[in-house]
């Protein structure tokens, strides 16, 4: 008996008698005993694995009491599977271990009719190590069901959160949201108020991470309706302020921050409850975006004081933020008068100093009691700024200093952030010299020295920083970081005089953008993109354009579609500043009595929303029990899924970078995972692209790139040949995988894409448009504080500085008379008491303001190629002597110039400044759509349309006044003549055009006076547009009958609509190229339309003696007459 109890004697007996055991179950038991001994005592896991496997094989293949139930289906078999899985785990065979554990879970479920939750937790950990999200989701779903069965509320919330994050990492944000919504419903059945708040707060944070900012604001606004205590309300305010900030709704974010600080001051909330550092961080970013740099610097310095010195990553982030503020100030497009001081008066007697002026809480957060304890990471001087900054060079020096400080702190923690800071250090110095040297032809020697000649910009050092970043891009898989690195490297090479190398880097950047982010000239996922992403992409396009205009005429004309993308992106970003109001706009679509009466503004005013302490503009009545999931059409659903999955790819790469920074995964694993994410990103975007690569080979197939050496370089003689074949197409551009090493000694050594050598792209997307209209195209682009005038036909470029600061470091302003003129044509209503400033009196000043513009440019028409008939009319009309006779005898028609200009330059009356007749086009893409239309010669008579509302003065005037003020303030901000963001919001009817001033407020278009005066005008009810669920169907039904009556549509809008483009106008330009759009000031619209709609004018279109071409050209002549003889600022889109 003692012998059998002694393991040293028992194990040899098992080994001896094992071959003679006939009972298979006993044989399996014996093998299990020997395997346990080998594993735990002898530490021989290889032999243990073999014995476990043999034991399981016997149990699985040997028949038990019945043939249907093998012996493995018992507790002994379950234990054997677990032991085998543990052994495989010790041998680093995680996949096989997972399979063994899964079989054990199935065994346990079969025997006991419930899951082994301990094993499931182990399976989750294994799946996380393998990055197997699908298995993680399956196991978490089991745990969630178990928690619900046991009515364990906290576990339901905990597991639902983990399950939601698992779906987020897979890119399924909406499914993740549903799990949180389900858990919220489950928790709602209980009486745990704190748990309900916790679930909704976590749901809001999840939505913020998934880029659903507006829906996060919905949830947070719902939380504020609950009876929260002070601490809970403060936490909600912090999250809500950040949500508004990410959505770039700055005024709302500031109002929430003001309310938060007031609450904390009144109730003496300490930093142990709410993080002062986090609050000050958000406040600093708010003030930086709003252009209040003194408060921004004050807040970030206070945040550094409150930050825990042991939280190195937080300190590094704050120093980076401080550098970002100085970066914004150092930008030459920032309008500042030097010398300038950013010192802020500090009150040492209180933690929070707040002031109430005009019922607005202006919170100035400061704690004089909190002092920095100097150590090796941070010094006392790190929170101070200079008393006076005499020039931008001193700003630049401080910016570089704080970026380097942040880089030093990140150097031991996060190599990816180090690379981002390398780019920022290079960018701020390049922005200081590149536009002035390469575009404005300033002296580079004088600009290279800054900060009172104590610092110098060294291109070689900047080049090293960029090359280090490109090496990191290979590992990190950051697409946006790669874009920044490429264009920065291109600018450095151009400044070094290495133009071919600069072109190659520029081309690599373009290829990457157009491959992974663009479809033709539209951002593939632009409608669902967060503002920060689009702003960063817009900055990349600005850098691409300013370098492109340094190249030759042929090269620029080949890539004019990049200008198209830039112009469309400008308009798209301008839409971000608007505040949609889903509840109000939903009410407009209902069968409301005010909507039926064409009174949408009164309809909104009649809505009894709950009063808020500060405005919320989306989903005020939403609760956790009814998360909104809109019903979408098939195409919209596919687009929504595409947006979600694409942002999922970016989110996954961001999460991988964080795990790499925290040393949770290795460099090799990061590289592998990010390669998979980029492959998935390409797979998602490719089906939605209108173009496909000429080659059908898989760009991610390793075999297609085996011939390309990673260190391969191109000879200078081959670079130019390669440049002629490379272009922005829809081919594959996996930059991150095949970046070559760099050698600074040779221009021909550069980082290149091996995949580029396998694809032959088309040269440009609209070359045939350029060829047909080359002699008529005129570009006026606003790139930061530079206005670029470009004429593709001659290749002549005129560049001038506008806005920001000049060479003497003084702000560039708009003359007061010109400013008053522009303000009048935007803000003043119909027949305003304020007399409009005569355009003739400011014409010379405007020309002087845009002194570099080629106003004398005209295109010469070949008489043999263009033969036009003349219109012979004697005295077309005379309006009771009010106007001079409109005589168009011997009128030779010349096709108009086609103007493409930046969004906020549209307000400038270019048509009245150029000598030639001019019409505008939104982009080459819209021009291409017009040229591709069938011949429209049979459509010669204009059919005028406009939108109007019957709202009374008290309802419509305040809203339109705020909207006009908001629009003009945005114009001044984006023209860089003002830094401060307007203290206004834009939330009502932002998707619809303005009321037409031809009809007085509260009047109906069917009244006798309007019927007689505007009988040739069709007045469309604004409410009909509000109720329309689909713009396409609405305008198709409206315009389809026109063709039978030989009419072409002409829509009349106000000049405010030109700057504040509604979705209606964008839809007309993009989807109805045959339509003509006229924009004119409210104060001049009655005079202009009285002229165009006069009977004598409209009779010309009905006379059979004139051809259809003559009649269409007569319309163009009439528009030209408005500009040249009547001095009315008419902007026309479309038409010939």
């Amino acid at each position: 008996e003692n012998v059998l109890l002694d393991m040293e004697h028992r194990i040899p007996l098992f080994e001896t008698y094992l071959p003679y055991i006939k009972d298979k179950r006993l044989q399996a038991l014996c093998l299990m005993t020997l395997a346990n001994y080998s594993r735990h005592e002898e530490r021989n896991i290889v032999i243990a694995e073999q014995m476990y496997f043999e034991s399981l094989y016997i149990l699985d293949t040997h028949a038990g009491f019945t043939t249907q139930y093998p012996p493995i289906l018992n507790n002994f078999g379950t234990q054997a599977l677990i032991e085998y899985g543990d052994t495989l785990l010790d041998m680093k065979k995680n996949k096989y271990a997972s399979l063994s554990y899964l079989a054990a879970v199935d065994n346990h479920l079969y025997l006991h009719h419930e899951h082994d939750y301990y094993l499931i937790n182990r399976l989750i950990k294994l799946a996380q190590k393998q990055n197997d999200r699908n298995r993680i989701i399956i196991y978490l779903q089991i745990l969630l069901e178990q928690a619900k069965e046991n009515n364990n509320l906290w576990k339901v919330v905990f597991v639902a959160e983990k399950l939601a994050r698992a779906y987020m990492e897979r890119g399924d944000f909406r499914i993740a949201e549903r799990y949180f919504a389900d858990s919220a419903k489950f928790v709602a059945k209980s009486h745990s108020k704190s748990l309900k708040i916790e679930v909704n707060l976590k749901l809001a944070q999840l939505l913020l991470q998934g880029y659903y900012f507006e829906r996060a604001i919905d949830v947070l606004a719902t939380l504020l309706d609950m009876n929260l205590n002070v601490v809970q309300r403060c936490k909600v305010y912090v999250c809500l302020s950040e949500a508004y900030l990410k959505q770039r709704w700055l005024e709302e974010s500031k109002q929430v921050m003001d309310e938060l600080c007031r609450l904390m001051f009144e109730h003496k909330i300490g930093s142990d409850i709410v993080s002062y550092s986090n609050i000050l961080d958000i406040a600093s970013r708010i003030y930086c975006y709003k252009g209040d740099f003194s408060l921004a610097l004050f807040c970030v310095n206070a945040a550094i004081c409150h930050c825990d010195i042991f939280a190195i990553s937080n300190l590094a982030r704050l120093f980076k933020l401080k550098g970002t503020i100085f970066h914004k100030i150092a930008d030459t497009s920032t309008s500042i008068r030097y010398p300038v001081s950013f010192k802020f008066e500090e009150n040492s007697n209180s933690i929070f100093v707040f002031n109430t002026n005009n019922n607005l809480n202006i919170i100035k957060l400061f704690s004089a009691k909190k002092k920095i304890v100097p150590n090796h990471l941070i010094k006392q001087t790190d929170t101070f700024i200079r008393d006076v900054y005499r020039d931008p060079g001193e700003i630049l020096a401080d910016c570089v200093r704080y970026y380097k400080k942040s880089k030093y702190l990140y150097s031991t923690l996060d190599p990816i952030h180090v690379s981002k800071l390398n780019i920022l250090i290079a960018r701020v110095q390049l922005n200081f010299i590149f536009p002035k040297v390469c575009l404005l032809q300033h002296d580079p020697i004088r600009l290279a020295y800054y900060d009172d000649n104590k610092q110098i910009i060294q291109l070689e050092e900047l080049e090293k920083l960029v090359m280090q970043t490109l090496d990191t891009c290979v590992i990190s898989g950051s697409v946006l970081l790669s874009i920044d690195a490429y264009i920065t490297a291109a600018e450095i090479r151009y400044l070094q005089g290495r133009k071919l190398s600069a072109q190659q880097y520029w081309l690599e950047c373009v290829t990457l953008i157009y491959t992974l982010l663009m479809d033709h000239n539209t951002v593939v996922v632009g409608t669902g993109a967060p503002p920060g992403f689009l702003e960063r992409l817009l900055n990349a396009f600005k850098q691409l354009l300013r370098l492109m205009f340094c190249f030759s005429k042929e090269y620029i004309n080949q890539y004019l579609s990049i200008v198209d993308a830039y112009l469309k992106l400008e308009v798209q970003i301008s839409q971000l500043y608007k505040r949609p109001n889903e509840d109000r706009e939903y009410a407009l679509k209902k069968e409301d009595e005010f909507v039926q009466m064409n009174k949408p503004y009164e309809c909104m005013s009649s809505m009894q929303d709950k009063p808020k302490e500060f405005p919320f503009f989306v989903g005020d009545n939403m609760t956790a029990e009814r998360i909104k999931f809109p019903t979408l059409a098939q195409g919209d659903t596919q687009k929504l899924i595409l947006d979600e999955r694409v942002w999922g790819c970016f989110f996954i790469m961001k999460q991988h970078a964080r795990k790499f920074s925290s040393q949770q995964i290795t460099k090799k694993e990061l590289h592998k995972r990010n390669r998979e994410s980029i492959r998935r990103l390409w797979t998602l975007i490719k089906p939605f692209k209108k173009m496909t690569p000429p080659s059908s080979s898989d760009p991610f197939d390793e075999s297609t790139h085996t011939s390309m050496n990673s260190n391969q370089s191109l000879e200078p003689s081959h670079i130019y040949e390669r440049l002629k074949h490379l272009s922005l197409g829809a081919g594959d551009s996996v930059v991150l995988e095949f970046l070559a090493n760099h050698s600074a000694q040779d221009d021909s050594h550069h980082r290149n894409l091996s995949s580029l050598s396998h694809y032959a792209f088309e040269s440009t997307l609209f070359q045939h448009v350029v060829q047909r209209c080359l002699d008529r195209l005129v570009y006026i682009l606003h790139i930061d504080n530079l206005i670029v005038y470009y004429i593709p036909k001659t290749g002549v470029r005129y560049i001038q500085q506008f806005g920001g600061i000049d060479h003497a470091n003084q702000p560039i302003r708009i003359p007061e008379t010109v400013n008053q003129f522009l303000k009048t044509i935007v803000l003043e209503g119909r027949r305003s008491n304020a007399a409009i400033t005569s355009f003739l009196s400011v014409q010379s000043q405007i020309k002087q303001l845009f002194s570099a513009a080629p106003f004398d440019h005209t295109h010469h028409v070949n008489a043999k190629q263009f033969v036009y008939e003349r219109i012979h009319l004697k005295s077309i009309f005379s309006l009771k002597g009010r106007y001079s006779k409109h005589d168009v005898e011997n009128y030779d028609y010349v096709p108009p110039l086609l103007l493409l200009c930046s969004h906020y330059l549209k307000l400038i009356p270019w048509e009245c400044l150029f000598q030639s007749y001019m019409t505008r086009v939104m982009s080459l893409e819209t021009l291409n759509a017009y040229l591709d239309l069938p011949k429209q010669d049979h459509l010669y008579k204009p059919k005028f349309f406009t939108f109007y509302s019957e709202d009374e003065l008290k309802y419509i005037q305040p809203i339109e006044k705020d909207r006009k003020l908001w629009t003009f303030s945005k114009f001044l901000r984006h023209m860089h003549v003002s830094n401060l963001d307007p203290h206004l919001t834009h939330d009502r009817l932002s998707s619809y055009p303005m009321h037409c001033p031809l009809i007085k407020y509260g009047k109906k278009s069917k009244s006798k006076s309007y019927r007689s005066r505007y009988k040739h005008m069709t007045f469309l009810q604004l409410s009909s547009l509000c109720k329309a669920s689909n713009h396409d169907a609405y305008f198709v039904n409206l315009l389809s009958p026109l063709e039978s009556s030989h009419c072409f549509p002409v829509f009349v809008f106000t000049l405010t609509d030109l700057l504040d483009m509604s979705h209606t106008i964008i839809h007309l330009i993009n989807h109805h190229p045959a339509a003509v759009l006229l924009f004119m000031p409210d104060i001049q619209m009655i005079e202009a339309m009285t002229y165009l709609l006069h009977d004598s004018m409209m009779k010309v279109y009905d006379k059979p003696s004139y051809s259809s071409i003559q009649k269409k050209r007569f319309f163009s002549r009439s528009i030209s007459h408005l500009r040249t003889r009547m001095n009315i600022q008419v902007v026309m889109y479309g038409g010939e």
Side-chain angles (χ1 to χ4, degrees), residues 601-602 605 951-959 1001-1002:
Y601 292 93
E602 188 173 353
S605 301
D951 283 283
E952 296 179 15
L953 178 68
K954 61 181 179 180
Y955 295 112
I956 189 172
Q957 190 181 44
I959 296 177
Y1001 295 137

Side-chain angles (χ1 to χ4, degrees), residues 836-851:
I836 184 170
T837 305
S838 172
F839 173 73
L840 295 178
S841 64
V842 297
Q843 184 176 11
S844 60
Q845 288 182 294
I846 295 178
K847 281 196 172 186
Q848 186 178 1
L849 191 62
F850 303 98
S851 55

Side-chain angles (χ1 to χ4, degrees), residues 811-848:
I812 299 174
R813 303 297 188 192
I814 298 178
E816 183 57 34
T817 53
V818 177
N819 182 73
Q820 187 62 37
F821 168 76
L822 296 175
K823 190 174 181 179
T824 302
I825 63 177
V826 173
L827 298 183
E828 296 300 333
R830 65 188 306 270
R831 293 183 177 176
S832 170
N833 293 330
I836 184 170
T837 305
S838 172
F839 173 73
L840 295 178
S841 64
V842 297
Q843 184 176 11
S844 60
Q845 288 182 294
I846 295 178
K847 281 196 172 186
Q848 186 178 1

Side-chain angles (χ1 to χ4, degrees), residues 130-147:
Q130 299 169 23
N131 196 33
D132 191 345
R133 302 184 194 90
N134 293 330
R135 287 188 180 276
I136 292 173
I137 288 171
I138 293 172
Y139 303 146
L140 285 174
Q141 286 172 340
I142 295 172
L143 291 181
L144 183 62
E145 291 300 323
Q146 181 244 352

Side-chain angles (χ1 to χ4, degrees), residues 584-750:
R584 288 172 177 169
E585 293 188 6
Y586 176 72
L588 292 175
K589 297 180 185 298
K590 297 192 302 182
E591 297 298 325
D592 190 277
E593 58 175 334
F594 293 114
V595 178
Q596 295 297 321
M597 296 165 60
N598 191 26
K599 296 182 178 182
Y601 292 93
E602 188 173 353
C603 175
M604 291 191 301
S605 301
S606 66
M607 295 180 61
Q608 299 298 323
D609 291 338
K610 295 181 180 180
K612 298 290 181 185
E613 298 174 6
F614 39 82
F616 295 98
F617 299 104
V618 287
D620 290 352
N621 300 319
M622 184 186 142
T623 62
E625 285 76 13
R626 60 179 193 94
I627 302 292
K628 291 185 237 180
F629 296 102
T631 304
L632 301 172
Q634 181 70 20
D636 295 334
T637 304
Q638 292 179 355
K639 187 66 171 60
L640 185 63
I641 293 173
L642 171 69
D643 293 349
E644 179 180 304
R645 294 294 174 84
V646 167
W647 295 121
C649 291
F650 285 110
F651 179 79
I652 291 168
M653 288 188 281
K654 189 175 181 180
Q655 293 297 105
H656 291 164
R658 288 178 178 174
K659 290 179 181 179
F660 173 69
S661 300
S662 59
Q663 298 180 352
Q664 296 181 28
I665 59 176
T666 63
K667 183 185 295 187
K668 182 178 180 181
E669 186 66 21
L670 175 67
H671 179 83
K672 178 183 176 182
R673 292 184 182 185
N674 284 337
R675 180 175 172 81
E676 292 174 356
S677 298
I678 294 176
R679 179 190 289 115
R680 187 182 183 211
L681 179 63
W682 166 250
T683 305
L684 287 168
I685 291 178
K686 183 179 177 181
F688 284 84
K689 281 178 171 284
K690 300 172 185 175
M691 295 181 61
T692 56
S695 172
S696 59
S697 61
D698 183 7
F700 295 93
D701 186 1
E702 297 288 350
S703 62
T704 61
H705 308 300
T706 53
S707 61
M708 176 62 70
N709 185 355
S710 62
N711 295 323
Q712 179 181 0
S713 63
L714 296 178
E715 293 296 329
S717 60
H718 296 159
I719 293 179
Y720 181 71
E721 291 297 322
R722 203 179 153 197
L723 289 174
K724 291 193 295 185
H725 296 289
L726 300 180
S727 140
L728 49 98
D732 174 54
S733 174
V734 192
V735 181
L736 311 173
E737 192 64 27
F738 304 104
L739 294 173
N741 292 328
H742 170 71
S743 173
Q745 287 77 22
D746 188 358
D747 278 18
S748 64
H749 284 69
H750 57 276

Side-chain angles (χ1 to χ4, degrees), residues 229-245:
N229 59 39
V230 175
V231 175
Q232 291 170 337
R233 189 168 287 271
C234 286
K235 290 181 178 179
V236 173
Y237 281 165
V238 172
C239 194
L240 184 60
S241 181
E242 187 174 9
Y244 278 131
L245 178 61

Side-chain angles (χ1 to χ4, degrees), residues 117-339:
Y117 299 107
Y118 172 75
L119 267 182
I120 289 177
N121 280 314
R122 296 186 68 178
L123 284 168
I124 291 172
K125 293 179 181 178
L126 277 175
Q128 288 173 342
K129 289 182 179 179
Q130 299 169 23
N131 196 33
D132 191 345
R133 302 184 194 90
N134 293 330
R135 287 188 180 276
I136 292 173
I137 288 171
I138 293 172
Y139 303 146
L140 285 174
Q141 286 172 340
I142 295 172
L143 291 181
L144 183 62
E145 291 300 323
Q146 181 244 352
K148 288 183 177 180
E149 289 175 4
N150 297 337
N151 202 26
N152 189 336
L153 298 180
W154 286 103
K155 190 171 183 179
V156 167
V157 175
F158 175 75
V159 177
E161 181 182 4
K162 294 186 70 173
L163 190 56
R165 295 194 181 280
Y167 272 110
M168 282 181 63
E169 291 189 359
R170 206 175 71 171
D172 296 324
F173 293 106
R174 298 182 73 80
I175 299 178
E177 183 181 348
R178 282 192 177 95
Y179 272 100
F180 252 124
D182 290 341
S183 66
K185 291 179 182 178
F186 187 82
V187 171
K189 300 175 184 178
S190 69
H191 300 286
S192 176
K193 176 185 171 183
S194 61
L195 190 57
K196 293 178 184 178
I197 296 171
E198 186 74 18
V199 170
N200 282 276
L201 194 57
K202 287 184 176 180
L203 174 58
Q205 292 170 348
L206 176 79
L207 292 169
L208 285 180
Q209 291 181 353
Y211 309 107
Y212 294 116
F213 303 137
E214 294 179 27
R215 282 155 68 190
I217 295 170
D218 277 339
V219 176
L220 293 167
T222 302
L223 277 175
L224 290 177
D225 289 334
M226 299 183 182
N227 188 17
L228 306 178
N229 59 39
V230 175
V231 175
Q232 291 170 337
R233 189 168 287 271
C234 286
K235 290 181 178 179
V236 173
Y237 281 165
V238 172
C239 194
L240 184 60
S241 181
E242 187 174 9
Y244 278 131
L245 178 61
K246 289 185 176 181
Q247 189 63 25
R248 299 295 186 267
W249 297 352
L250 303 180
E251 189 61 25
E252 293 87 334
S253 183
K254 179 181 175 296
Q255 291 177 15
V256 175
M257 183 59 65
D258 288 352
E259 181 66 18
L260 168 65
C261 295
R262 182 195 63 78
L263 197 65
M264 292 176 65
F265 176 78
E266 290 179 354
H267 295 273
K268 296 181 172 57
I269 303 296
S271 59
D272 55 332
I273 299 176
V274 182
S275 172
Y276 284 4
S277 178
N278 187 28
I279 293 172
L280 289 161
D281 181 5
I282 297 173
S284 180
R285 285 184 284 152
I286 292 171
Y287 289 121
C288 180
Y289 281 118
K290 288 182 71 66
D292 195 338
F293 302 118
S294 296
L295 275 175
L297 289 170
F298 166 74
C299 290
V300 74
N301 284 333
I304 293 172
C305 291
H306 283 286
C307 186
D308 186 356
I309 61 173
F310 298 105
I312 301 177
S313 60
N314 289 339
L315 273 175
R317 176 174 49 81
L318 290 173
F319 279 114
K320 179 184 176 183
L321 175 59
K322 191 171 182 180
T324 303
I325 297 170
F326 278 109
H327 192 157
K328 179 68 175 176
I329 302 171
D331 197 334
T332 55
S333 62
T334 302
S335 181
I336 291 179
R337 185 180 297 278
Y338 289 92

Side-chain angles (χ1 to χ4, degrees), residues 467 470 479-491 493 499-518 540 544 547 551 555 559 562 708 712-714 719 722-723 725-729 731-741 747-759 761:
M467 294 308 145
L470 284 172
V479 177
L480 295 179
L481 184 59
S482 299
I483 291 171
D484 291 340
Y486 271 129
I487 189 58
T488 305
E491 290 186 351
R493 292 298 177 87
K499 295 185 180 180
L500 286 178
S501 184
Q503 281 185 334
Q504 182 64 17
Y505 275 107
W506 184 89
L507 202 58
E508 300 279 9
C509 182
V510 170
T511 308
L512 176 59
I513 292 174
Y514 272 77
T515 300
L516 293 181
L517 302 177
M518 306 292 290
L544 286 171
L547 181 56
F551 298 148
Y555 201 85
Y559 293 105
I562 295 179
M708 176 62 70
Q712 179 181 0
S713 63
L714 296 178
I719 293 179
R722 203 179 153 197
L723 289 174
H725 296 289
L726 300 180
S727 140
L728 49 98
D732 174 54
S733 174
V734 192
V735 181
L736 311 173
E737 192 64 27
F738 304 104
L739 294 173
N741 292 328
D747 278 18
S748 64
H749 284 69
H750 57 276
R751 299 177 179 268
N752 64 317
L753 294 173
S754 67
S755 58
L756 288 178
S757 60
H758 298 279
Y759 289 90
F761 299 129

